[in-house]
């Protein structure tokens, strides 16, 4: 990349540590004696906390206003195939990495697996390593390795610690995602081989391929489709979403939080990092289809969520709708819509993560997720209800909370390039208010039944845990500028990359995100 | 030619270069002869001799490889009968390693069944010898000899469990169908001889290259088709696969491992050599056939594997799917005008090594679970293995994930190599079909994992793991992970592998 020279570097291989530390933690946990439950938890916690601290340190050191990849580290891995251990972070991946780093220790501290703690923690840490690697990889092969390896811990987390239909849900998750990846693997190999003609040698280096390759129109489109199938399953985009409600509902609370918080983002992130960056022409070509699928997802997710009897399933379907907004913003390809999309990836991770956490707490207390069996909880547990209210409002997109900033930027940014899709998508905002408020009303308002009268109030540990989420929700909602400052340069650079290679010009003046961002 | 006209001049014999095969012969004959003349040996002694013989073959192959060096000139042995190149050495090494591992598993199996004796080991070494001959053969007749040595040993080994009716039944079934396949093969050899005047692979290759490619001799094409049928039976491709599940299930489990590794490696090595050395000029004729066979094997193998309830049958069908994957490599090699077509053979050989190790490891675990009588191989028998033997279950999980092609395992490296070969010659459709078949097959491996980790065990008693099997399983898991994380070594080796002409 052009500005690698100006990029920030540190004495320590920071990004490598972010991937390797959880991995080392996982190995250590799995080597410990099952009987030492306390020490196992401590080790897992230390490793995830240090990783989290390093990710925050990276955020602090990340130069605001820089577009290129920072803290890049590159080591040859399989030189025969032009594959290297190549990590880097830019404004697009920055907050996803921080979110991953912070979310995992919170989940490890805050949620007990109930049984078989040791393998649970080992899988969690392995999952963290995989997710970190996916967000940091700048090598197509390396990315695929991490993208795929994530399936294994998630499979076991759902399958072993989930609810009634956990085996079915875990298998469905694994097979769906792997089927998507099958196309991507062929796409990755084909991309590298076809790019070899332009580059002169075989390499899987993302930046090199994106900057130097020049695919024929038809070829680029095929390759784009191969990548998109994998990401569309992961996001998930309608009609490939059917694994998500099952996986989310059956996963243990910790699994659901991670799944909603960071795993789904691997899909939208991949679309941005690999789809748009590698195949600008195909991106423009496929835009209408992706808009349409995104908008169908928004409406379908919202309507399906309204109909759910199971609170956790309701939140799961709301994810389908929210991710639809992100996809819409991603492919609208304006500075605002893309910035909003990237921001919304993080916002959704925080708010939906928190929602799953609270649904988990409700289940712990009442051993049911059926909305009909709940009710009147506000009068017995007002603080709990208050927390839920804030998180829910963030998910709806209330001004002053984080969800609003992202959603607003997406809608306003996409209006120029995807006008009629935005018009329809806006209905989704209203529907979100409908299903979430209605759910809130049924769960928290009214007279509590006998069983709900003893609903315990929030504990200190739970309160502290949720406090972190709420702090993030409120801070981002009120003062999004630091976040936008770091996302925007990278996003603009990506759009310039597209403009340079196609005849596309983004309609509005560039780089004016903050003005409208409700500061 | 071995039989020169006029005065008979024996071919020169390079004993050292033949030593891997000779060690196997010595081991087999020694076990039979000395074993017959002496009273019962101590526990494990027969197995030790067999393992030492296979291990020595592997070591000698490694030394020969080192002598040959990266740029060594390939040569032929015993008057053009055998070829001596990286390709044959790599296949020989794979066969020797797989045999060694299978012997370790057999040792514990025979002990458990109270049948310790020299016969089974002698036959295992004989089958390995047949495999080595197939992998090295530079002449269709020699290839047929190797094939028969391998097959006859297998027929006996499959039927060797006298206390289990299925074993005998499977042996008979395999024998009858295998006899047909051998007949097809031999007929194919005869027809090819008739149309080219030679059974030597290199001579056939040059003869055909000299003819006009459009000159479609019906005799030749019929011969190639017959040959392919023979091979397709041996490596169990659809629609010549019907014997596979029955025989895999009926055979003693360590023998199933041997068939899945040594049998596959030998037959595929021979198949790859014959088609790329003798018949490259007719690649336009056999390429499409291979394409269809690959797709059929991939899809039928994967789909039928998923619906089985017996783990050995599952692995039998999955072996069909894996065979399809290897054929994808051959299909890539059929695009001879493409500069990257050599990737096809080397990636197929790398796949064979990886798969050979994986399948022995997997079936070693199955053999442990099968218990006395070798019968408990249903999916249910694996229930709760994660609770009773977590380490064993973890090892099995690694092996299964590798078979499914999950990254950081050798299986992924192998699959990636094949896909790379296929994509480099622009066979995109086949590459996608292969990957989708791998996904379908992944479901099957997940089913076994579900049994092990997510089902309750019938009894909470811990299973004893015998030492030899434990070593074999640990070694296969280690190879799986090391190749998965540091693939460079295997890739460096396999990049040299293409049959020399």
């Amino acid at each position: 990349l052009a500005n690698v020279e100006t990029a920030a570097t540190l004495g320590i291989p920071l990004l490598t540590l972010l991937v390797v530390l959880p991995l080392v933690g996982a190995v250590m946990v799995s080597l410990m004696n099952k009987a030492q439950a306390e020490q196992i938890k401590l080790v897992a916690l230390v490793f995830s906390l240090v990783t989290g601290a390093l990710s925050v340190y990276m955020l602090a050191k990340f130069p605001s206003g820089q577009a290129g990849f920072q803290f890049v580290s590159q080591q040859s891995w399989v030189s025969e195939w032009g594959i290297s251990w190549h990590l880097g972070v830019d404004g697009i991946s920055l907050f996803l990495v921080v979110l991953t780093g912070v979310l995992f220790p919170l989940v490890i501290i805050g949620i007990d697996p109930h049984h078989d703690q040791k393998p649970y923690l080992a899988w969690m840490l392995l999952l963290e390593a995989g997710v970190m690697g996916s967000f940091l990889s700048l090598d197509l092969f390396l990315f695929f390795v991490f993208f795929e390896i994530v399936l294994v811990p998630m499979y076991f987390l759902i399958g072993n610690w989930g609810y009634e239909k956990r085996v079915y849900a875990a298998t469905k998750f694994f097979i769906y995602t792997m089927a998507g990846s099958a196309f991507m693997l062929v796409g990755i190999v084909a991309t590298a081989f076809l790019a070899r003609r332009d580059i002169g040698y075989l390499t899987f280096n993302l930046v090199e391929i994106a900057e130097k390759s020049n695919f024929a129109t038809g070829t680029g489109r095929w390759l784009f489709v191969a990548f998109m199938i994998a990401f569309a399953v992961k996001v998930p985009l309608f009609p490939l979403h059917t694994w998500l409600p099952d996986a989310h509902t059956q996963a243990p609370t910790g699994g659901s939080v991670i799944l909603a918080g960071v795993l789904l983002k691997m899909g939208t992130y991949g679309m941005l990092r690999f789809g748009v960056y590698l195949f600008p022409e195909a991106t423009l070509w496929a835009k209408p289809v992706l808009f349409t699928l995104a908008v169908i997802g928004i409406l379908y997710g919202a309507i399906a969520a309204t109909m759910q009897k199971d609170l956790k399933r309701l939140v799961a379907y709301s994810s389908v709708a929210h991710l639809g907004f992100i996809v819409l913003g991603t492919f609208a390809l304006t500075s605002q819509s893309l910035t909003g999309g990237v921001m919304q990836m993080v916002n959704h991770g925080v708010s939906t993560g928190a929602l799953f956490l609270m649904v988990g707490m409700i289940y712990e207390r009442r051993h049911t997720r059926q909305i009909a069996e709940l009710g009147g909880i506000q009068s017995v547990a007002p603080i709990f209800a208050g927390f839920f209210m804030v998180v829910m409002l963030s998910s709806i997109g209330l001004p002053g909370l984080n969800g609003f900033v992202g959603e607003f930027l997406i809608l306003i940014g996409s209006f120029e390039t995807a006008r009629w899709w935005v018009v329809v998508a806006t209905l989704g905002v209203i529907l979100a208010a409908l299903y979430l408020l209605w759910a809130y009303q049924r769960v928290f308002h009214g007279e509590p039944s006998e069983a709900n009268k003893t609903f315990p109030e929030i504990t200190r540990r739970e309160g502290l845990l949720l406090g972190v989420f709420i702090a993030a929700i409120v801070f981002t909602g009120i003062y999004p500028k630091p976040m936008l400052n770091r996302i925007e340069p990278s996003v603009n650079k990506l759009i310039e990359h597209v403009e340079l290679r196609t005849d596309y010009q983004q309609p509005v003046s560039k780089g004016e995100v903050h003005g409208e961002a409700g500061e | 030619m071995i039989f020169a006209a006029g005065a008979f001049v024996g071919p020169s014999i390079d004993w050292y270069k033949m030593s891997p095969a000779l060690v196997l012969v010595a081991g087999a004959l020694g076990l039979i002869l000395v074993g017959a003349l002496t009273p019962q040996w101590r526990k494990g002694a027969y197995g030790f001799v067999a393992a030492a013989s296979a291990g020595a073959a592997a070591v000698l192959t490694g030394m020969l490889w080192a002598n040959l060096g990266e740029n060594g000139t390939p040569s032929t042995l015993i008057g053009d009968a055998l070829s001596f190149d990286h390709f044959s050495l790599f296949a020989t090494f794979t066969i020797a390693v797989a045999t060694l591992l299978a012997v370790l598993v057999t040792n514990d199996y025979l002990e458990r069944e109270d049948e310790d004796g020299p016969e089974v080991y002698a036959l295992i070494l004989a089958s390995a010898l047949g495999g080595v001959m197939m992998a090295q053969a530079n002449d269709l007749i020699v290839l047929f000899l190797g094939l028969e040595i391998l097959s006859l040993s297998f027929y006996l080994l499959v039927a060797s469990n006298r206390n289990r009716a299925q074993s005998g039944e499977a042996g008979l079934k395999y024998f009858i169908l295998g006899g047909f396949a051998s007949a097809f093969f031999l007929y194919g050899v005869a027809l090819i001889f008739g149309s080219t005047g030679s059974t030597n692979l290199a001579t056939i290759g040059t003869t055909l290259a000299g003819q006009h490619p459009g000159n479609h001799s019906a005799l030749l094409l019929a011969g190639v088709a017959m040959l392919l049928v023979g091979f397709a039976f041996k490596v169990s491709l659809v629609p010549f696969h019907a014997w596979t599940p029955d025989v895999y299930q009926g055979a003693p489990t360590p023998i199933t491992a041997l068939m899945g590794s040594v049998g596959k490696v030998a037959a595929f090595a021979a198949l790859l050599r014959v088609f790329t050395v003798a018949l490259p000029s007719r690649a336009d004729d056999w390429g499409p056939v291979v394409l269809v066979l690959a797709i059929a094997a991939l899809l039928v193998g994967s789909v039928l594997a998923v619906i089985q309830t017996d783990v050995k049958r599952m692995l039998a069908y999955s072996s069909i799917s894996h065979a399809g994957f290897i054929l994808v490599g051959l299909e890539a090699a059929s695009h001879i005008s493409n500069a990257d077509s050599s990737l096809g053979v080397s990636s197929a050989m790398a796949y064979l090594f990886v798969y050979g190790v994986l399948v022995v490891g997997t079936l070693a675990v199955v053999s442990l679970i099968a218990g006395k009588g070798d019968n408990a191989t249903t999916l249910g028998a694996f229930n709760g293995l994660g609770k009773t033997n977590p380490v064993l279950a973890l090892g099995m999980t690694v092996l299964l994930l590798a078979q499914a092609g999950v990254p950081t395992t050798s299986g992924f490296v192998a699959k990636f190599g094949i896909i790379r070969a296929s994509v480099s010659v622009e066979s995109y459709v086949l590459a996608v079909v292969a990957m989708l078949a791998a996904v379908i097959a992944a479901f099957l491996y997940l089913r076994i994992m579900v049994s092990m980790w997510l089902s309750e065990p019938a009894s909470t008693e811990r299973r004893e793991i015998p030492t030899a099997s434990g070593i074999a399983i640990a070694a296969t898991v280690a190879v799986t992970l090391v190749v998965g994380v540091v693939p460079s070594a295997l890739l460096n080796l396999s990049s040299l592998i293409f049959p020399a002409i």
Side-chain angles (χ1 to χ4, degrees), chain B residues 150-151 153-156 158 168-180 233-234 243-244 247 259 263:
Chain B
L150 177 89
S151 302
S153 315
F154 276 172
Y155 303 144
L156 292 169
V158 168
E169 184 193 327
L172 187 63
K173 215 177 247 176
Y174 190 32
F175 175 62
I176 292 171
L177 291 173
F180 271 114
F233 177 85
K234 282 294 156 200
W243 60 277
T244 315
V247 175
M259 293 172 69

Side-chain angles (χ1 to χ4, degrees), chain B residues 76-142:
Chain B
T76 53
L77 307 174
I78 340 179
D80 271 1
L82 299 176
S83 55
F84 180 80
D85 54 14
H86 288 112
F87 180 92
S88 66
L89 285 177
F90 188 83
T92 306
F93 181 74
T94 308
I95 290 171
V97 169
T99 309
L100 172 61
L101 293 170
V103 165
L104 293 177
V105 185
T106 309
N107 177 60
D108 296 334
Y109 156 81
L110 288 177
E111 222 166 78
R112 185 181 71 203
E113 309 291 328
D114 289 326
E115 288 197 1
D116 201 13
E119 305 87 358
V120 169
Y121 293 116
L123 286 168
I124 288 177
L125 292 179
S127 71
L129 169 71
V132 169
M133 280 181 71
M134 286 175 78
Q136 300 192 344
N138 192 35
D139 188 290
L140 288 172
I141 297 297
V142 177

Side-chain angles (χ1 to χ4, degrees), chain B residues 21-240:
Chain B
L22 294 174
V23 171
L24 292 172
V25 179
L29 292 180
L31 276 170
I32 285 284
L33 293 176
V34 183
L37 298 174
T38 50
Q40 179 80 20
W41 296 2
R42 308 178 23 197
K43 199 174 83 171
Y46 299 115
F48 180 79
V49 171
S53 174
V59 170
L60 286 166
T61 315
M63 287 161 61
L64 288 169
W65 178 287
N67 280 355
L68 189 56
E70 284 203 9
N71 307 311
T73 354
S75 55
T76 53
L77 307 174
I78 340 179
D80 271 1
L82 299 176
S83 55
F84 180 80
D85 54 14
H86 288 112
F87 180 92
S88 66
L89 285 177
F90 188 83
T92 306
F93 181 74
T94 308
I95 290 171
V97 169
T99 309
L100 172 61
L101 293 170
V103 165
L104 293 177
V105 185
T106 309
N107 177 60
D108 296 334
Y109 156 81
L110 288 177
E111 222 166 78
R112 185 181 71 203
E113 309 291 328
D114 289 326
E115 288 197 1
D116 201 13
E119 305 87 358
V120 169
Y121 293 116
L123 286 168
I124 288 177
L125 292 179
S127 71
L129 169 71
V132 169
M133 280 181 71
M134 286 175 78
Q136 300 192 344
N138 192 35
D139 188 290
L140 288 172
I141 297 297
V142 177
L143 172 50
F144 182 73
L145 287 177
L147 182 69
E148 284 305 285
I149 297 175
L150 177 89
S151 302
L152 288 170
S153 315
F154 276 172
Y155 303 144
L156 292 169
L157 285 170
V158 168
S160 66
N161 189 345
R162 279 157 298 186
N163 302 323
R164 196 164 160 258
Q166 293 100 311
S167 175
E169 184 193 327
L172 187 63
K173 215 177 247 176
Y174 190 32
F175 175 62
I176 292 171
L177 291 173
F180 271 114
S182 294
F184 269 105
F185 185 89
L186 200 55
Y187 199 16
V189 173
L191 293 182
I192 290 177
F193 179 75
S195 82
T196 62
S198 175
T199 54
N200 182 284
L201 298 184
T203 315
I204 296 173
T206 38
T207 310
L208 290 179
Q211 293 174 0
H212 189 261
N215 179 14
H216 287 251
S217 152
L219 203 58
L220 175 74
L221 291 185
V224 173
M226 298 277 188
L227 215 56
L228 195 54
V229 170
F231 277 126
F233 177 85
K234 282 294 156 200
V235 300
S236 54
L237 295 173
V238 178
F240 310 101

Side-chain angles (χ1 to χ4, degrees), chain A residues 77 80-81 155 171 196-197, chain B residues 340 416 426 443 450 485 492:
Chain A
W77 180 23
E80 293 80 6
W81 288 349
Y155 170 79
T171 308
R196 185 174 62 169
R197 293 172 193 162
Chain B
D340 286 321
F416 188 85
E426 307 193 346
F443 184 70
V450 166
V485 177
N492 268 335

Side-chain angles (χ1 to χ4, degrees), chain A residues 126-189:
Chain A
L126 184 61
L127 184 62
E128 179 169 14
V131 176
M132 278 287 185
S134 305
F135 287 139
L136 291 172
S137 297
L138 295 183
D139 183 284
L140 292 175
F141 182 91
L142 190 63
F143 171 76
F144 184 83
V145 167
F146 286 123
F147 190 81
E148 193 85 336
I149 204 77
V150 161
L151 298 188
V152 179
M154 201 64 219
Y155 170 79
F156 279 105
L157 284 174
I158 299 175
N160 219 347
W161 288 271
Y163 297 104
E164 315 82 40
K165 285 166 68 187
R166 56 184 185 270
V167 173
Y168 168 78
T171 308
K172 196 169 174 183
F173 163 77
F174 195 100
I175 297 293
Y176 260 68
T177 323
M178 200 176 175
S181 308
F183 291 95
M184 184 162 73
L185 181 65
V186 177
I188 284 178
V189 181

Side-chain angles (χ1 to χ4, degrees), chain B residues 410-437:
Chain B
S410 59
F412 175 68
V413 174
K415 286 210 159 76
F416 188 85
I418 295 276
I419 295 298
R420 171 171 171 264
S422 185
V423 165
S424 70
V425 298
E426 307 193 346
S427 290
Y428 299 117
V429 175
L430 190 54
V432 169
V433 170
M435 283 311 296
L436 287 180

Side-chain angles (χ1 to χ4, degrees), chain A residues 423-484:
Chain A
V423 170
V424 183
T426 312
L427 285 176
V429 181
I430 302 166
L431 285 172
L434 173 73
Y435 62 76
L436 280 171
L437 287 175
W438 191 35
Y440 183 83
Q441 189 187 348
R442 284 179 291 168
V443 173
F444 288 95
H445 288 176
E447 279 300 308
S449 67
E450 267 320 299
N452 289 332
K453 271 197 180 129
T454 54
F455 192 92
E457 184 52 285
I458 199 158
T459 65
R460 182 167 298 161
R461 183 173 88 152
E462 291 168 340
L464 282 173
L465 185 62
L466 285 170
V468 179
F469 284 88
I470 293 197
I473 287 172
V474 174
F475 180 81
T476 329
I478 294 173
Y479 190 51
K481 194 173 167 203
M483 198 170 172
L484 297 174

